[in-house]
């Protein structure tokens, strides 16, 4: 009976892990799709179907890989696949663009994590290192996309893509910083009277 | 130990808060800094003990703590008096000057936008 229960629990844990991974993949994909269409709806940033002066989803590449690793890459691939369907002219392009978009940030982040020694759970990660990672991710992604576009006879916008990806990442990261600082301030105000009362 | 998404999220949010830029100040820190700026503008010098006693509605202990916070955020520098080492003067840092310059610029922009 005990062995049966253990086996049942083990199977349940395995299913729950698979379910969590699937949830992460869909979450990343949905966030990517939302930010991509938000970005496209702001006509001012638009340069062509693949390049914007400010590209908000670039932050999703960095953060999803940093937080979730492999499932983050899968989520990026799925999200990018959905947004590439209306744009891709061939089946190869339909697979290659999402693959570049999801694998290049993984490589950039992996190299940065190895060089910076931030620890398994990012315990030594600093703000400056995060900025370097944002730049590395933007650089590798724009370079890989540009190489692919060059060999397929499509227009190449390496610098504009790099600038768009980096500024998009900075914009979202600094928005997050402002929000987190605001949250910390509120928390301090809430904690303060208790501290006064206890002293 | 296996990597943990929640721990990664916590460290990542700390790194985001640590992004280079002007540090976030709470209301008391802003008030202390404004009092210092007022004194510096009039050509006066501000001592830590003197300032801690006169911040309205804030206890001396809290004022000390906030002055220490401002020092750790590199918004102020503490210089000892050459004649009496017990007396410490508060002086602006380059970051503090940048902070007031940015505030000044916001006011100028806002007034221009209104006119």
């Amino acid at each position: 009976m005990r062995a049966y229960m253990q086996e049942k629990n083990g199977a349940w844990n395995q299913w729950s892990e698979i379910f969590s991974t699937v949830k992460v993949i869909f979450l990343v994909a949905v966030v990517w799709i939302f930010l991509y269409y938000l970005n496209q709806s702001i006509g001012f940033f638009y340069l062509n179907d693949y390049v914007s002066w400010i590209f908000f989803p670039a932050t999703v590449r960095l953060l999803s890989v940093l937080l979730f690793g492999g499932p983050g890459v899968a989520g990026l691939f799925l999200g990018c696949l959905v947004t590439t369907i209306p744009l891709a002219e061939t089946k190869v392009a339909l697979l290659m663009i999402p693959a570049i978009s999801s694998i290049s940030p993984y490589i950039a982040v992996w190299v940065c994590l190895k060089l910076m020694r931030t620890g398994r759970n990012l315990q030594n990660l600093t703000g400056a290192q995060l900025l370097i990672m944002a730049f590395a991710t933007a650089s590798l992604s724009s370079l890989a996309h540009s190489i692919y576009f060059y060999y397929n006879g499509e227009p190449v916008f390496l610098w504009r893509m790099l600038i768009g990806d980096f500024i998009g990442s900075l914009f979202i990261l600094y928005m997050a910083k402002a929000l987190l600082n605001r949250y910390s301030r509120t928390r301090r105000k809430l904690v303060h009277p208790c501290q006064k009362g206890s002293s | 130990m296996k990597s943990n998404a929640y721990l990664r999220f916590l460290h990542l949010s700390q790194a985001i808060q640590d992004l280079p830029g002007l540090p976030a100040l709470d209301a008391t820190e802003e008030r202390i800094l404004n009092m210092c700026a007022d004194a510096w503008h009039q050509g006066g010098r501000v001592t830590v003990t003197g300032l801690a006693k006169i911040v309205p509605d804030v206890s001396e202990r809290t004022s000390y703590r906030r002055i220490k916070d401002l020092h750790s955020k590199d918004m102020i520098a503490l210089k000892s008096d050459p004649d009496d080492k017990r007396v410490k003067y508060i002086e602006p840092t380059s970051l503090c000057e940048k902070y007031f310059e940015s505030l000044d610029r916001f006011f100028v922009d806002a007034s221009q936008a209104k006119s």
Side-chain angles (χ1 to χ4, degrees):
Chain A
M1 182 69 183
R2 203 171 172 180
Y4 169 75
M5 286 301 284
Q6 272 179 350
E7 198 178 308
K8 203 176 171 188
N9 279 343
W12 171 248
N13 286 342
Q14 211 174 354
W15 275 112
S16 137
E17 212 166 287
I18 291 168
F19 185 62
S20 307
T21 308
V22 171
K23 266 200 298 192
V24 165
I25 292 170
F26 276 97
L27 176 78
V28 173
V30 166
V31 174
W32 170 276
I33 294 164
F34 171 74
L35 281 179
Y36 180 85
Y37 283 111
L38 178 76
N39 208 91
Q40 296 298 89
S41 67
I42 305 171
F44 180 67
F45 301 151
Y46 185 84
L47 201 64
N48 74 16
D49 285 337
Y50 297 108
V51 189
S52 295
W53 281 113
I54 300 177
F55 190 60
F56 297 135
T59 330
V60 185
R61 287 191 189 128
L62 174 68
L63 296 184
S64 61
V65 170
L66 270 176
L67 281 176
F68 307 117
V73 174
L76 279 176
F77 183 85
L78 181 67
C80 196
L81 189 72
V82 172
T83 53
T84 310
I85 289 170
L87 308 173
E89 288 168 2
T90 60
K91 279 179 187 170
V92 178
L94 183 62
L95 289 177
M96 278 304 284
I97 292 166
I100 291 170
S101 203
S102 53
I103 294 168
S104 62
Y106 187 76
I107 296 168
V109 167
W110 185 80
V111 171
C112 288
L113 289 177
K114 286 283 165 203
L115 291 176
M116 291 168 182
R117 293 178 187 169
T118 52
R120 200 175 177 83
N121 289 319
L122 311 175
Q123 54 269 41
N124 303 321
L125 183 68
T126 64
Q129 287 175 336
L130 195 59
L131 282 188
I132 294 170
M133 279 190 200
F135 186 73
T137 310
S139 305
L140 194 65
S141 170
S142 50
L143 184 69
H145 276 96
S146 298
I147 291 170
Y148 174 76
F149 291 142
Y150 177 77
Y151 280 107
N152 283 281
E154 287 183 51
V156 176
F157 297 99
L158 174 64
W159 293 110
R160 290 176 211 182
M161 208 172 186
L162 170 61
I163 292 167
D165 280 12
F166 188 53
I167 293 179
S169 296
L170 284 189
F171 186 85
I172 302 280
L173 285 175
Y174 274 91
M175 281 244 302
K177 178 185 161 93
L179 277 173
L180 285 169
N181 284 338
R182 202 176 169 80
Y183 165 72
S184 310
R185 267 194 212 190
T186 322
R187 194 175 54 181
R188 181 177 265 183
K189 273 181 200 161
L190 288 171
V191 169
H192 186 67
C194 308
Q195 283 177 340
K196 224 174 177 181
S198 64
S199 63
Chain B
M1 199 183 134
K2 218 177 141 187
S3 73
N4 184 319
Y6 180 65
L7 274 180
R8 282 173 162 238
F9 171 74
L10 281 182
H11 294 133
L12 189 62
S13 58
Q14 273 170 8
I16 288 173
Q17 278 182 294
D18 186 38
L19 280 169
L22 287 171
L25 304 177
D26 73 4
T28 314
E29 287 167 350
E30 271 173 16
R31 202 190 302 176
I32 288 172
L33 212 55
N34 287 340
M35 289 175 78
C36 289
D38 196 29
W40 293 327
H41 187 68
Q42 290 169 20
R45 298 190 83 182
V46 189
T47 62
V48 173
T49 39
L51 181 69
K53 281 177 189 159
I54 59 164
V55 183
D57 304 327
V58 180
S59 72
E60 208 175 319
R61 211 166 145 187
T62 306
S63 298
Y64 270 122
R65 213 168 47 231
R66 291 293 189 273
I67 292 169
K68 253 173 84 177
D69 287 348
L70 284 169
H71 185 238
S72 67
K73 287 175 182 175
D74 200 28
M75 291 296 278
I76 54 169
L78 302 176
K79 293 260 167 74
S80 299
D81 189 307
D83 300 324
D84 185 355
K85 295 284 181 200
R86 290 170 301 173
V87 180
K88 283 200 190 307
Y89 291 108
I90 301 174
E91 287 183 2
T93 59
S94 55
L95 190 64
C96 178
E97 279 162 10
K98 213 167 119 187
Y99 172 76
F100 282 110
E101 273 168 23
S102 64
L103 283 182
D104 199 42
R105 211 170 43 242
F106 290 147
F107 269 97
V108 171
D109 289 350
S111 63
Q112 279 173 353
K114 209 176 176 186
S115 60

